[in-house]
Amino acid sequence: MASISMFKRKSKLTKKPAPKEVCNYVIVLFKFLYRIPAAFLFLFLFLIYLWSSSTTIISGNIVHICVSSRKLNDHYCLSAGRTQPNFEIPIPIINNSSIYLQTPNQRSNLPLSLLPTLYQDNGSISPESTVNGEMVMKETVEVVHDEADPVLMRNGENKDREEEIANAKKEVEEQLRLHRSWISENKQAGCEGRGVYVYDLPSKFNKDLVGQCRDMVPWMDFCKYFKNEALGEPIPKLGNGWYQTHQYSLEPIFHQRVLKHPCRVYNENEAKLFYVPFYGGLDILRCHFKNVSNDVKDALSLELITWLEKQKPWAKNSGKDHVIVLGKISWDFRRKDGSWGTRLLEIDQMENPIKLLIERQPWQPNDIGIPHPTHFHPHSDDDIMAWQWKIISSYRKNLVSFAGAARPGAAESIRSILIKQCNSSADNGNQCHFLDCSSGGCDQPEPVIELFMESEFCLQPPGDSPTRKSLFDSLISGCIPVLFDPFTAYYQYPWHLPEDPEKYSVFVDQEEVRQVKVNVVEMLMKISKKERDDMRRYIVYELLPGLVYGDSTAKLEKFQDAVSIIMSNLMERVTKMDSTA
């Protein structure tokens, strides 16, 4: 959509007003303002100030005003999207733990009774919805909103419904087992018969999106985050391999790594895997803060499909051997109604390819969760070993820490409770340290990483969506994450986190926190030092290398980083697909 700039032309001869005329203008203006009541004048001036320091977004019948103090680079205050997408997201409660489940699509055989009420943009509840072309009445349920603004459905005494929910949970776990079956056992496999072909997409699908960094977000310049091949500016204070990486930079980071992957081939006939370097997350970001139609938001996604369908490799396997990496959560690409995000992953042609996302959609077997990008991008094995030694020997003066902000507008948020418990730990010797991100305390990575390095446990409640970038920041800092929702990690990252969550985390039922049945700080005080040390050693030596994205020229021999794990497992998946064809 072309932007049109309008400029007032200056006349060639500018007449300078006489001093007497200026005085007359001032007198008239003063008389006009004098007649305006003080309250209206104050309101008028306030609106001018608000307008000058904010961004107005119009979507449907709703006007959103984003004041510039809500900084997008505050990773712990603003996650993948504040406005909840307007489509059905069932979230049943299993044993008092919330399970995030999106409505099954037409290929699912789940019963209609699993569908919840629909949370509308205006907060109203729709009593009915269309499913597979039929109007379905929804059962009456108690509705509460959690931090991600979806609808929670309370377990009742309906045994049939409890069984349906248990089956739904079982289906998600079966999908994760399928994903784990693709994990490659051959860590040192060569490239013979394992070529990856990188599509040379027209620049509008990637490079040009990066080029729009200056006006991508109205109140900040994104360009600094795309320096050093999207790693951002270096952070010498934290050591080698540390950068000011933005949480939405995964797409260009991954692209640069695949371009230099040892198994890259330039002949599509030699390829086993086909990588589509579309920066879909940046495409969403550039449109979200502009008043544009859904057709405009979807335009690039539809053009991508048109382009891919003209490629011979795509037609050969209907995209089954293709992979696309998306640096935002799955919900952002699955717009049903409303104005949030795009419908890239709702397009039929996008069903077959593997989609790698920082947060997967649990009902989609071809959605696979991969780690959020952190600030650590090692270049060598030595960088990783030096950091491992630093954090394993770090003095941890805090038992617990929480870097985040309260959500006073979310009635079901447990953050305020956690903050209160943390701040009241003074009675137990200041066991918990709270870093308030609402006041800008998390704008820079240094204080957050340093806090995590000084803490035994890091609280990781869900934010605008179940997952948190902060989870991975805590893990690479050797801080044991305390999780409150299984979809924050357990049902997300089968290739990078083990099936047994007790090896690296502590789980606390968020419903018990919400009902103040448990004091999290006091509960963590009961975990022995030996248990803490065992978990930390597992995190540092077993998990950490596979959670970070090395730089584009990384030379890792002893370790596999996140990209190495992903590429090996993708090759394994394609190989097994061929053997069953």
Side-chain angles (χ1 to χ4, degrees):
M1 188 173 103
S3 60
I4 302 176
S5 301
M6 300 181 64
F7 302 88
K8 291 183 179 180
R9 296 194 177 191
K10 294 184 179 180
S11 58
K12 293 182 179 180
L13 297 175
T14 304
K15 183 178 178 181
K16 188 176 181 180
K20 185 175 181 180
E21 292 178 357
V22 174
C23 291
N24 290 337
Y25 294 152
V26 173
I27 292 172
V28 171
L29 179 61
F30 178 79
K31 289 180 178 181
F32 173 74
L33 294 175
Y34 182 77
R35 294 171 180 264
I36 300 177
F40 285 101
L41 180 60
F42 175 79
L43 179 61
F44 175 72
L45 294 175
F46 175 75
L47 289 174
I48 290 179
Y49 165 76
L50 185 62
W51 181 267
S52 65
S53 63
S54 66
T55 300
T56 303
I57 308 156
I58 302 174
S59 60
N61 297 321
I62 302 174
V63 177
H64 308 273
I65 297 179
C66 303
V67 181
S68 58
S69 61
R70 291 282 293 176
K71 295 181 179 179
L72 194 66
N73 63 332
D74 185 348
H75 307 311
Y76 301 90
C77 296
L78 187 62
S79 182
R82 278 300 299 145
T83 306
Q84 177 63 24
N86 184 16
F87 53 81
E88 298 169 316
I89 308 179
I91 310 180
I93 301 290
I94 310 268
N95 296 329
N96 291 328
S97 299
S98 65
I99 304 296
Y100 287 71
L101 303 174
Q102 190 192 2
T103 299
N105 57 27
Q106 295 181 358
R107 290 172 293 279
S108 175
N109 56 5
L110 287 176
L112 294 177
S113 58
L114 188 61
L115 299 177
T117 53
L118 180 62
Y119 178 64
Q120 305 288 0
D121 280 346
N122 60 4
S124 63
I125 303 301
S126 171
E128 58 188 13
S129 178
T130 302
V131 179
N132 295 345
E134 298 179 355
M135 194 66 72
V136 180
M137 297 301 297
K138 307 299 178 61
E139 59 185 336
T140 302
V141 294
E142 177 188 357
V143 176
V144 291
H145 300 108
D146 82 337
E147 294 171 281
D149 292 337
V151 178
L152 295 180
M153 302 187 66
R154 298 292 185 184
N155 248 350
E157 297 181 1
N158 188 327
K159 299 300 181 182
D160 291 337
R161 181 169 181 76
E162 290 180 5
E163 184 177 349
E164 291 169 0
I165 294 172
N167 289 336
K169 178 183 176 184
K170 181 179 179 181
E171 184 172 329
V172 175
E173 292 172 342
E174 288 176 352
Q175 285 187 9
L176 292 178
R177 280 193 288 272
L178 173 64
H179 293 171
R180 288 192 174 96
S181 73
W182 298 335
I183 295 177
S184 175
E185 299 297 332
N186 189 355
K187 306 300 182 183
Q188 304 298 325
C191 292
E192 186 176 355
R194 296 164 53 88
V196 55
Y197 182 82
V198 182
Y199 278 116
D200 184 16
L201 292 179
S203 61
K204 63 182 175 181
F205 294 113
N206 41 52
K207 184 179 179 181
D208 291 353
L209 293 172
V210 173
Q212 299 179 38
C213 55
R214 296 202 183 280
D215 61 353
M216 188 169 284
V217 177
W219 58 84
M220 66 179 295
D221 186 348
F222 246 57
C223 296
K224 64 181 179 180
Y225 295 110
F226 294 131
K227 293 181 178 179
N228 296 311
E229 297 181 331
L231 301 183
E233 298 173 340
I235 310 176
K237 183 179 179 181
L238 292 177
N240 292 335
W242 284 84
Y243 297 85
Q244 294 272 4
T245 305
H246 197 274
Q247 62 178 345
Y248 295 151
S249 296
L250 179 59
E251 293 154 351
I253 289 174
F254 202 95
H255 188 189
Q256 290 299 320
R257 280 295 301 278
V258 181
L259 286 175
K260 299 175 184 178
H261 194 275
C263 295
R264 182 188 178 187
V265 295
Y266 296 87
N267 184 341
E268 61 188 39
N269 296 321
E270 299 175 1
K272 196 82 169 178
L273 183 71
F274 297 84
Y275 169 59
V276 183
F278 173 48
Y279 299 172
L282 298 186
D283 180 37
I284 288 178
L285 198 60
R286 71 179 178 120
C287 290
H288 180 62
F289 298 101
K290 298 179 177 64
N291 181 26
V292 297
S293 67
N294 286 343
D295 289 341
V296 173
K297 293 176 182 178
D298 293 337
L300 208 55
S301 298
L302 295 172
E303 288 182 43
L304 176 69
I305 299 300
T306 300
W307 189 91
L308 285 171
E309 288 184 320
K310 296 178 182 177
Q311 311 306 310
K312 292 181 180 179
W314 177 273
K316 183 179 179 181
N317 286 310
S318 301
K320 292 179 180 179
D321 49 6
H322 285 55
V323 61
I324 183 170
V325 175
L326 298 170
K328 291 179 110 272
I329 65 174
S330 182
W331 317 112
D332 290 345
F333 305 96
R334 297 186 181 278
R335 192 189 72 244
K336 297 283 190 179
D337 300 307
S339 60
W340 176 264
T342 69
R343 51 183 296 269
L344 170 66
L345 300 187
E346 290 298 312
I347 301 172
D348 290 341
Q349 292 89 331
M350 286 304 297
E351 178 186 354
N352 288 335
I354 284 287
K355 282 79 65 175
L356 304 177
L357 305 110
I358 56 176
E359 180 176 314
R360 68 182 293 263
Q361 201 270 60
W363 293 113
Q364 297 293 334
N366 287 338
D367 271 20
I368 298 178
I370 61 175
H372 288 247
T374 66
H375 300 283
F376 185 38
H377 304 279
H379 175 73
S380 65
D381 293 333
D382 288 342
D383 288 346
I384 293 178
M385 289 188 289
W387 182 250
Q388 286 175 322
W389 170 250
K390 184 173 183 178
I391 61 175
I392 203 69
S393 59
S394 176
Y395 171 61
R396 299 185 182 269
K397 61 182 180 181
N398 305 311
L399 176 69
V400 193
S401 67
F402 175 40
R407 296 288 169 82
E412 283 293 298
S413 172
I414 63 171
R415 291 189 173 208
S416 295
I417 299 173
L418 293 176
I419 292 170
K420 183 178 179 180
Q421 291 182 359
C422 185
N423 290 334
S424 64
S425 69
D427 299 336
N428 295 313
N430 292 319
Q431 296 288 339
C432 186
H433 184 97
F434 170 54
L435 178 59
D436 190 354
C437 293
S438 63
S439 58
C442 305
D443 287 356
Q444 300 299 320
E446 294 96 319
V448 177
I449 298 299
E450 289 171 354
L451 174 64
F452 289 171
M453 289 177 63
E454 296 173 348
S455 305
E456 298 272 10
F457 298 99
C458 292
L459 305 183
Q460 301 293 344
D464 298 325
S465 68
T467 65
R468 293 191 82 200
K469 174 186 177 295
S470 178
L471 165 69
F472 294 96
D473 287 336
S474 68
L475 285 170
I476 69 167
S477 303
C479 189
I480 302 165
V482 181
L483 305 181
F484 303 86
D485 189 291
F487 271 79
T488 299
Y490 305 154
Y491 294 157
Q492 288 291 343
Y493 310 105
W495 290 353
H496 297 84
L497 294 177
E499 191 169 3
D500 182 3
E502 293 184 359
K503 289 183 176 180
Y504 68 94
S505 69
V506 175
F507 184 79
V508 181
D509 190 328
Q510 66 176 326
E511 189 64 20
E512 292 192 357
V513 175
R514 189 174 292 117
Q515 297 178 12
V516 200
K517 292 182 178 180
V518 60
N519 184 301
V520 178
V521 178
E522 292 179 358
M523 187 207 75
L524 294 173
M525 290 174 63
K526 298 177 182 179
I527 299 177
S528 69
K529 183 178 185 302
K530 181 182 184 306
E531 291 177 284
R532 300 197 304 260
D533 290 344
D534 287 345
M535 279 192 281
R536 180 166 299 105
R537 279 192 291 269
Y538 183 82
I539 290 170
V540 173
Y541 295 117
E542 299 295 330
L543 297 185
L544 186 152
L547 300 179
V548 298
Y549 296 87
D551 65 39
S552 66
T553 60
K555 300 183 184 302
L556 303 176
E557 297 178 359
K558 180 179 176 63
F559 301 105
Q560 277 198 315
D561 74 340
V563 175
S564 299
I565 291 173
I566 291 167
M567 297 304 293
S568 294
N569 295 346
L570 286 173
M571 291 296 184
E572 186 74 12
R573 185 249 183 192
V574 173
T575 300
K576 289 186 176 180
M577 182 184 71
D578 286 349
S579 64
T580 58

